[in-house]
Amino acid sequence: MSPIVSVTNLSKIYANGYHALKDVSLDIAQGEILALLGPNGAGKTTLISIICGLVNASEGSVTVGGHDIVSDYRVTRSLIGLVPQELTLGHFETVWNTLGFSRGLFGKKPDPAYLEQLLKDLSLWAKKDSEIMSLSGGMKRRVLIGKALSHQPSVLFLDEPTAGVDVELRKEMWMLVRRLRESGVTIILTTHYIEEAEEIADRVGIIDQGRLILVDDKQALMHKLGKKEMIVELEEPVSGVPEALTAWSLALSEDGCRLIYTYDPRQQRTGIPDLLKAIGGAGLALKDFKTTQSSLEDIFVNLVKGK
Amino acid sequence: MINTCAVRVIYKYEMLRAWETLLQSFASPVISTSLYFVVFGSAIGGRIDQVEGVSYGSFIVPGLMMLALLTQSISNAAFGIFFPKFTGTIYEVMSAPVSFFEILLGYVGAAATKSLIIGLIILATAGFFVPLDIAHPVWMTAFLILTCVSFSLFGFIIGLWAEDFEKLQLIPLLVITPLVFLGGSFYSVSMLPPAWQTVTLFNPVVYLISGFRWSFFEVSDVSVGLSLAIVLMFLTTCLMVVWWMFRTGYRLRQ
Ligand SMILES: Nc1ncnc2c1ncn2[C@@H]1O[C@H](COP(=O)(O)OP(=O)(O)OP(=O)(O)O)[C@@H](O)[C@H]1O
Ligand SMILES: [Mg+2]
């Protein structure tokens, strides 16, 4: 199936000369959840803003649903819903009016029944006649989501949907995102929270300094880059790694009670059976051992900081 | 194909905003006009008999209306686009499937409607103070609408251009108010010394007020055709500037 969003060789140089995006290419499949990860100033918002029509690209092109975002902006923009990073809302409007405004703006006839259901899904129905000014930050965030969904888009961009949102609400947000995906909406979200990407994304893209350094299936990514660690707990602490075990380049915990072996799970021979044998051979008593898979966070840190 | 839904909601919400601040939007022009009539019409007008065959009270009506129309059109339209730009809510309009023409239609249409309503309210208020015979109602309406539309456009340009509140008020305060006051709102240009008469002819507002006054009393400082030409020229210039702004994404799209 052809991608719902296709970004080709996209670059952006702002008026002040800042090179915010550098030759980014990316295909987004219909119905997937893509998480864009990256440190502050990486270019995530810039990328989203170009696709949504808020910022002009300097080079490259973008299609949404097969249509060019510049020459066919009416088609592409009506397919897209955008929840911006900042809480940008009018103050004196009511929740109900602002949703009606958004829907109309996107050229859709009023549909009170749909908007009612939407507000109920967002737990905002009780607030429908409240002025936005009187809502809490979390509620405002949901109003923004409501506005973005008011015209029934097929692609939803969420720019840091859970920034400054408490744990409870974040979980709710994740549920909402999953429900939307089930209804066929493609979702692109940016986040600083790696556990968020790990929790809900199908694919993860990592942006750093304007470059898309990696996009991959979440599982594949963890598999490809994820090192595994085996931690061996000893009955008695040791003062150093025994000579006999140097081949495994082990690390020793500070208290001397744990040996840490890092290995690549994709290798045919992980060396674990030999290591265990050698530990016994060195006269160390083994109390317990466990293996851990590195998280996206570790991968991320390695990619961005350690390169 | 034009996104009529979008034009309608922009227009509707702009009008709604005026409605919610009804007192400020519509009552304040009525009050200030009444004050002008008390001060200029009664206090001063009592000592000036007639200007070019028209009683002074009546004579100042077209000028007063223009004063209100110009300032209201500009401030309504400028604020209408400046505010969403300032708060960031403009992102929604910019990411919606609307053309610049539709945005213009919504915002400028609403601003022009508001000042048209204000103009009519002032006219009605004036009717309480002085007798009003409008010689050419059709021309009067035409001038009224043309003025509302072109100065709302001008206000829209200012609203797009302004980056802060100070700039937003700069042009209305420093340019428009003096031009209107010196544009013959309260006097006939022929009452000025000859040298000043010449200077005055460089003030575009003179042509506006003169043409508008002609549609009331058939007296004018300059010919009506010239007045009309100047207004149309101003309108065209504004349209061209807006067109350029939109084409380049000026202050809206980086
Ligand atoms: N209008 C602008 N003019 C000039 N530079 C800009 C502009 N907008 C953004 N930038 C710069 O472009 C870079 C990318 O910004 P962007 O907002 O896309 O980052 P981001 O990945 O969304 O960051 P964050 O996680 O903090 O939201 C930053 O260095 C920023 O300073
Ligand atoms: Mg951002």
Side-chain angles (χ1 to χ4, degrees), chain B residues 84-151:
Chain B
K85 203 176 57 136
F86 184 72
T87 59
T89 50
I90 193 77
Y91 86 87
E92 203 178 16
V93 178
M94 300 308 292
S95 67
V98 287
S99 67
F100 283 125
F101 178 67
E102 289 151 4
I103 296 176
L104 200 65
L105 223 52
Y107 282 106
V108 173
T113 310
K114 275 185 253 180
S115 38
L116 192 63
I117 294 173
I118 289 168
L120 295 175
I121 292 176
I122 292 176
L123 189 62
T125 314
F128 280 110
F129 291 92
V130 289
L132 280 178
D133 285 315
I134 301 168
H136 304 283
V138 176
W139 278 110
M140 189 216 64
T141 316
F143 268 113
L144 205 60
I145 292 174
L146 265 176
T147 307
C148 289
V149 171
S150 43
F151 280 83

Side-chain angles (χ1 to χ4, degrees), chain A:
Chain A
M1 203 164 57
S2 56
I4 182 100
V5 178
S6 181
V7 176
T8 315
N9 302 120
L10 198 64
S11 290
K12 174 64 189 176
I13 301 172
Y14 279 110
N16 63 3
Y18 189 83
H19 211 146
L21 282 183
K22 297 164 188 161
D23 198 25
V24 170
S25 293
L26 171 68
D27 278 350
I28 300 166
Q30 175 128 32
E32 75 169 325
I33 300 179
L34 174 74
L36 292 173
L37 280 167
N40 284 128
K44 304 179 294 294
T45 302
T46 303
L47 175 60
I48 290 182
S49 302
I50 292 177
I51 302 174
C52 295
L54 299 178
V55 169
N56 290 325
S58 304
E59 260 172 60
S61 63
V62 179
T63 64
V64 178
H67 300 273
D68 184 77
I69 56 159
V70 179
S71 56
D72 253 347
Y73 71 93
R74 279 201 204 263
V75 184
T76 65
R77 289 189 203 165
S78 36
L79 290 173
I80 294 176
L82 167 66
V83 181
Q85 183 170 358
E86 313 285 338
L87 286 175
T88 35
L89 281 163
H91 289 267
F92 303 104
E93 304 160 88
T94 63
V95 172
W96 184 256
N97 280 351
T98 198
L99 257 65
F101 177 77
S102 303
R103 190 177 165 86
L105 212 49
F106 280 76
K108 292 255 177 156
K109 296 257 157 5
D111 184 350
Y114 171 74
L115 291 189
E116 178 175 340
Q117 189 54 48
L118 182 60
L119 282 179
K120 284 178 176 162
D121 288 345
L122 292 164
S123 323
L124 282 172
W125 180 241
K127 295 281 177 187
K128 78 178 175 72
D129 294 318
S130 304
E131 282 186 350
I132 286 164
M133 202 170 42
S134 70
L135 302 181
S136 76
M139 290 176 189
K140 285 182 188 154
R141 177 82 51 195
R142 278 178 283 159
V143 171
L144 279 176
I145 297 178
K147 280 166 79 74
L149 292 174
S150 66
H151 65 279
Q152 295 149 291
S154 34
V155 184
L156 180 66
F157 286 90
L158 294 161
D159 201 352
E160 298 194 26
T162 57
V165 159
D166 68 21
V167 182
E168 189 92 354
L169 192 57
R170 191 179 304 170
K171 294 243 161 76
E172 268 181 42
M173 209 78 92
W174 292 348
M175 257 153 56
L176 177 75
V177 168
R178 288 205 191 90
R179 274 210 309 273
L180 282 170
R181 199 259 300 266
E182 272 159 33
S183 71
V185 179
T186 307
I187 294 154
I188 295 98
L189 60 93
T190 72
T191 179
H192 290 152
Y193 301 112
I194 290 145
E195 70 267 32
E196 186 158 278
E198 204 158 1
E199 179 75 29
I200 54 173
D202 301 314
R203 279 202 309 156
V204 177
I206 295 174
I207 300 187
D208 187 37
Q209 294 178 18
R211 283 185 203 287
L212 185 64
I213 46 185
L214 178 136
V215 204
D216 211 338
D217 200 73
K218 184 178 66 187
Q219 302 301 339
L221 186 66
M222 292 204 294
H223 185 70
K224 189 153 53 177
L225 290 161
K227 293 268 193 285
K228 267 189 148 179
E229 276 183 354
M230 183 171 74
I231 298 167
V232 179
E233 268 191 64
L234 305 171
E235 288 284 1
E236 299 285 328
V238 292
S239 55
V241 180
E243 289 259 333
L245 304 180
T246 42
W248 285 271
S249 41
L250 300 178
L252 185 66
S253 68
E254 249 167 55
D255 58 5
C257 283
R258 269 169 291 154
L259 292 168
I260 297 142
Y261 171 48
T262 310
Y263 64 98
D264 187 337
R266 287 168 304 159
Q267 275 177 348
Q268 284 279 307
R269 300 170 63 87
T270 56
I272 292 175
D274 292 341
L275 173 62
L276 291 177
K277 252 182 253 161
I279 289 174
L284 302 177
L286 197 147
K287 185 177 166 191
D288 195 5
F289 71 90
K290 64 171 180 185
T291 61
T292 58
Q293 171 116 41
S294 52
S295 65
L296 263 176
E297 179 137 22
D298 304 326
I299 299 172
F300 182 67
V301 169
N302 280 342
L303 269 170
V304 173
K305 310 263 155 60
K307 61 173 183 273

Side-chain angles (χ1 to χ4, degrees), chain B residues 12-250:
Chain B
K12 190 175 119 191
Y13 280 79
E14 281 301 294
M15 293 306 285
L16 209 64
R17 212 161 46 82
W19 193 249
E20 274 162 6
T21 51
L22 192 66
L23 213 61
Q24 196 197 332
S25 306
F26 298 125
S28 72
V30 175
I31 293 171
S32 56
T33 311
S34 305
L35 288 175
Y36 277 120
F37 268 113
V38 173
V39 175
F40 287 97
S42 309
I44 298 174
R47 293 163 191 239
I48 306 173
D49 261 359
Q50 289 201 326
V51 181
E52 311 202 1
V54 182
S55 83
Y56 186 67
S58 305
F59 180 83
I60 63 172
V61 172
L64 274 181
M65 283 177 74
M66 276 295 159
L67 179 66
L69 286 187
L70 259 56
T71 47
Q72 290 291 328
S73 298
I74 291 174
S75 70
N76 278 331
F79 198 74
I81 188 71
F82 173 80
F83 199 63
K85 203 176 57 136
F86 184 72
T87 59
T89 50
I90 193 77
Y91 86 87
E92 203 178 16
V93 178
M94 300 308 292
S95 67
V98 287
S99 67
F100 283 125
F101 178 67
E102 289 151 4
I103 296 176
L104 200 65
L105 223 52
Y107 282 106
V108 173
T113 310
K114 275 185 253 180
S115 38
L116 192 63
I117 294 173
I118 289 168
L120 295 175
I121 292 176
I122 292 176
L123 189 62
T125 314
F128 280 110
F129 291 92
V130 289
L132 280 178
D133 285 315
I134 301 168
H136 304 283
V138 176
W139 278 110
M140 189 216 64
T141 316
F143 268 113
L144 205 60
I145 292 174
L146 265 176
T147 307
C148 289
V149 171
S150 43
F151 280 83
S152 294
L153 259 175
F154 185 60
F156 189 83
I157 293 172
I158 293 175
L160 271 184
W161 163 79
E163 287 156 308
D164 48 43
F165 278 95
E166 207 171 297
K167 278 191 176 172
L168 188 67
Q169 277 158 353
L170 198 68
I171 294 198
L173 207 68
L174 288 187
V175 182
I176 301 301
T177 312
L179 284 187
V180 177
F181 270 91
L182 303 176
S185 317
F186 302 112
Y187 54 86
S188 160
V189 172
S190 61
M191 291 157 85
L192 294 173
W196 281 103
Q197 286 190 26
T198 317
V199 173
T200 301
L201 292 181
F202 290 98
N203 179 356
V205 178
V206 166
Y207 299 85
L208 211 61
I209 294 180
S210 163
F212 196 48
R213 189 173 281 141
W214 172 85
S215 69
F216 278 75
F217 312 120
E218 291 189 304
V219 296
S220 61
D221 296 321
V222 293
S223 84
V224 192
L226 191 59
S227 289
L228 196 64
I230 298 269
V231 182
L232 289 175
M233 222 163 76
F234 182 67
L235 180 67
T236 317
T237 312
C238 288
L239 276 174
M240 264 154 53
V241 173
V242 166
W243 181 77
W244 171 82
M245 281 177 149
F246 280 167
R247 219 180 47 115
T248 56
Y250 180 82

